Structure formats: structure tokens, C-alpha cells
Amino acid sequence: MSDARTAAGPPTATKAASPRRVGGEANEEAARSEPAVGLVVTGIGTVDADGFDFRTALGRHGYKYLPAASQYFLAAAKRALAQAGPDALEAVGPEERGAAVGTNSAAVALHHTMDRTVTATGAGDLSPVTAPYFSINLFGSRLATEHDLKGFNLTFTSPRVAGLEALQNGRRALVTGRARWLLAGATEEALPEGEPGAETSEAGAVALVLEPETAARSRGAAALGRVGVRSFFLPPRVAGSAEGAERAAALLRDALDALGHRPDRPLAVTAVLDGSPVGEAVAAALEEKVLDERAPGGRTAAGKPERVLAGAGALEPVARVAAALGAPAGHVHAVVTAAAEGNIAVCLVTPSGATQGGATQGGATQGGTTQGGTTQGGTAGAEAGSAEASSR
């Protein structure tokens, strides 16, 4: 049994004291111990490496020696927090704030520099300021200390899907009661010349703030939409076989079903894919099987899949999620990505105002009764079950 499935069990999901049965400080403590459900995005921050100046984005002092990828993510987080509102952090305590970041190439350039120093003159000449960043887990450490994020601080590095995995696992941690507020996203630094994939490497960052819809409403913050992620694996050998597209289609259908998308609902799709057997199998599955089977006439009202050539990194899929949240049309949107190694992830984006599976954003009804636009009695079970299913 995975750690996430264990966390979804009775100790955290059902044993908390009901806030309606106690009062005063006990009531507040019970509310804090219950899982955070009905999660919405309240802030989005994006940073493009082109023209980026940490002095302008972050301040003139204290950031000079940070690796570029850390600077990018700090700046993206600052912008996301600004959109979420001045009290976005203060609404929860430090122990209830979590962070999750995905990256594939944040440390590559730094590792190259360290290797050259060690081989040329010795480890004694490594910079004490940058040396700790040999560990990829430290690229989000400044974010945690700067914003007092003590709930958890996670780093994901799976090829291409790392950023979406940060969203997936960060949400899971909130749904299973480990925290009540999340800052998640992806950051990348350009690969050094000569490194495989350098010609298509990514540089920049995207950060999203997620919190319970009730908490956002209580402080007057706007809900930009909802996101849900499923990730899975398709062996490259299988992807390249005659059954590759069919196997990919079955996995994609299962993911969309688990995320709650109804086949008869319009669905816009963006696929961030490379030309590997896995990427081609996913592309064929989307074009020929999944969407044709999920809508009358073989087409969805939101159009055919948009295919985006994947770069060397995990940034583009998260950037597409951010763009879908801000899309003026308000369509439910699936962002799909895959890596040559077999990693695949699907993010279902429901912008504010869009309908998803019979529920309207801002007034979802998932097995409970609606009161003032908020589901009572159904959302907690749905999201806790969703988190457990995603860990299988």
C-alpha cells in the first residue's frame, strides 16, 4: 500500500472531530485537522527567462547567488501570491502550507560547472554559496523559508511530467489532510550547449496557488478554476507496438473518467508531445480513439486536439495549464503530456464558469446538497476517493 493510500484512510479522512459538535478553540482545532476539499486555484504566476532580471523581480539584495531556476520560481510564486491576495498566506498557519515543484533541468548547468571546477582545480574551489545546490531538492528550499511553508516541501523530477506530478501530489497531500494550502508548479533553467535536448531546452517558471474554495470565498479571493491530475506509465516497447495507440487510449480514457469528465461534454485538448514512440502513441490515441469515442459525430464542440512540440523539460505542460485557466472561452480543457521514457500525465482544467460533468464551477454538486454555491456532504468523499485512486 502506498503512502498516499495509507494517508487517505480513516486516521486523517474520517476521524477528525466534527466542528458542529464542539465549540471555541476545540472547534477551530477540529476544522484545521479535517482534510482540505473543494480545492480551487486562486493565483497564477509565470516567468519567462528572456529579459528576466532578479533585481527587478525579487529585489536587489539576497538573490544574486541563487541558481537561475530558483530565482525564476521565487518570482513566479511572488506573482501568484500577489494575484491570490495580500492575505493568501496569513489565512493558514505555517504548518498548514505546502509547496511542490517539478523540474528536469534546474541543476544541470550548475552540475556542469561543479564538475569542471572539481576536475580542474579540486573540490576546495567550489563556491560555498552554490555548492549546496548539488541537491535538486534544495531548489525549492528558499521558497519554503521565505514564505514559512512548513507543511511539506516536495520536488519531482520525472521526465516531462514532473510539473504535473507536483500538482497531483500536492493536491493529494491537501485532500488527505497534510496541509490546507499549496503552492505548486515547475521551473527550468536552459541546458548547457552540447547537452542532449539543449536546442529545445526550457527556461522559466510557473506557480499556482491552491486552497479550499470555502477559504478563498471567506477572504474574498476569486476562484480561477480547478485542476486535477492523473499520471501513469506506458512502456516504450508497448507504445511502439501495433497495440500502442489502443493501450494509450485505454489509459487516457481511464484518466479522464477518474478526473470526472463526462464523454458527452465538450473538451478542448492540448497535447505536449515529442516524436518518440510514446508521444506518437498518445497522439494517435487522442486523434483516432479517445475523443472520437467521447463525443457524438467524432468531434467535440471545443475542437480537435492541439499538438505542441515538447521541449526538454517539464515546464510547458504546466504553462499550458495556466493558460487554460485564463482562457476567455471557459472550456473544460485537458492538458496531456508524455515522455519518451513512458511517463504520461493528464491534467483536467475547469476554468471558473465552465461546466464539468453536470457541475458548474463555483456551485459544484458532487453527491451532496448545494448550499450557497458550495457542495455540502459530497465533495469531501469525492476528493478523498479521487486522491486514493490516483495513488494506485
Side-chain angles (χ1 to χ4, degrees), residues 157-346:
T157 59
S158 300
R160 191 153 296 129
V161 303
L164 294 187
E165 284 186 338
L167 280 172
Q168 178 185 16
N169 289 283
R171 285 189 78 260
R172 180 187 299 162
L174 266 61
V175 170
T176 53
R178 297 188 178 185
R180 300 187 62 80
W181 184 95
L182 174 68
L183 199 154
T187 186
E188 299 289 10
E189 182 174 355
L191 291 167
E193 186 177 350
E195 184 76 12
E199 65 279 1
T200 61
S201 65
E202 301 173 331
V206 177
L208 307 178
V209 172
L210 287 86
E211 58 186 302
E213 184 177 12
T214 53
R217 185 185 298 113
S218 68
R219 61 184 187 83
L224 305 177
R226 302 178 190 269
V227 295
V229 180
R230 289 294 180 274
S231 58
F232 44 90
F233 186 79
L234 179 65
R237 176 182 56 81
V238 175
S241 69
E243 295 78 29
E246 192 63 51
R247 291 287 295 275
L251 292 168
L252 290 167
R253 283 193 294 267
D254 287 348
L256 288 170
D257 289 342
L259 291 168
H261 183 259
R262 279 174 36 177
D264 60 343
R265 295 286 175 178
L267 181 67
V269 177
T270 297
V272 183
L273 304 171
D274 58 21
S276 68
V278 177
E280 293 302 325
V282 171
L286 289 171
E287 287 280 0
E288 303 168 10
K289 301 178 183 299
V290 177
L291 296 184
D292 283 356
E293 295 174 6
R294 295 184 75 85
R299 297 189 64 164
T300 61
K304 284 187 172 293
E306 174 192 14
R307 181 166 179 176
V308 178
L309 182 62
L315 183 59
E316 184 65 26
V318 185
R320 295 286 171 162
V321 169
L325 283 166
H331 289 304
V332 177
H333 202 116
V335 176
V336 181
T337 194
E341 293 81 356
N343 307 79
I344 304 174
V346 179

Side-chain angles (χ1 to χ4, degrees), residues 1 5-17 33 35 176 388:
M1 179 177 290
R5 291 181 65 188
T6 301
T12 57
T14 62
K15 292 296 185 180
S33 66
T176 53
E388 182 173 359

Side-chain angles (χ1 to χ4, degrees), residues 48-225:
D48 190 332
D50 290 341
F52 177 80
D53 182 356
F54 75 86
R55 299 171 185 82
T56 302
L58 298 170
R60 299 190 62 83
H61 304 290
Y63 301 96
K64 179 178 180 180
Y65 296 105
L66 289 178
S70 288
Q71 294 176 349
Y72 299 153
F73 198 62
L74 282 169
K78 182 178 179 180
R79 294 172 186 178
L81 286 167
Q83 184 176 24
D87 55 348
L89 277 173
E90 289 71 15
V92 295
E95 292 77 13
E96 297 177 309
R97 307 169 190 163
V101 60
T103 187
N104 291 161
S105 56
V108 176
L110 180 62
H111 287 172
H112 278 226
T113 300
M114 288 181 171
D115 287 345
R116 287 195 298 269
T117 299
V118 171
T119 56
T121 61
D125 287 333
L126 290 174
S127 167
V129 177
T130 58
Y133 291 93
F134 80 91
S135 170
I136 194 66
N137 293 319
L138 290 185
F139 276 74
S141 61
R142 178 62 176 269
L143 177 77
T145 57
E146 193 159 295
H147 297 298
D148 214 10
L149 312 181
K150 296 182 178 179
F152 58 85
N153 188 14
L154 308 174
T155 303
F156 298 88
T157 59
S158 300
R160 191 153 296 129
V161 303
L164 294 187
E165 284 186 338
L167 280 172
Q168 178 185 16
N169 289 283
R171 285 189 78 260
R172 180 187 299 162
L174 266 61
V175 170
T176 53
R178 297 188 178 185
R180 300 187 62 80
W181 184 95
L182 174 68
L183 199 154
T187 186
E188 299 289 10
E189 182 174 355
L191 291 167
E193 186 177 350
E195 184 76 12
E199 65 279 1
T200 61
S201 65
E202 301 173 331
V206 177
L208 307 178
V209 172
L210 287 86
E211 58 186 302
E213 184 177 12
T214 53
R217 185 185 298 113
S218 68
R219 61 184 187 83
L224 305 177

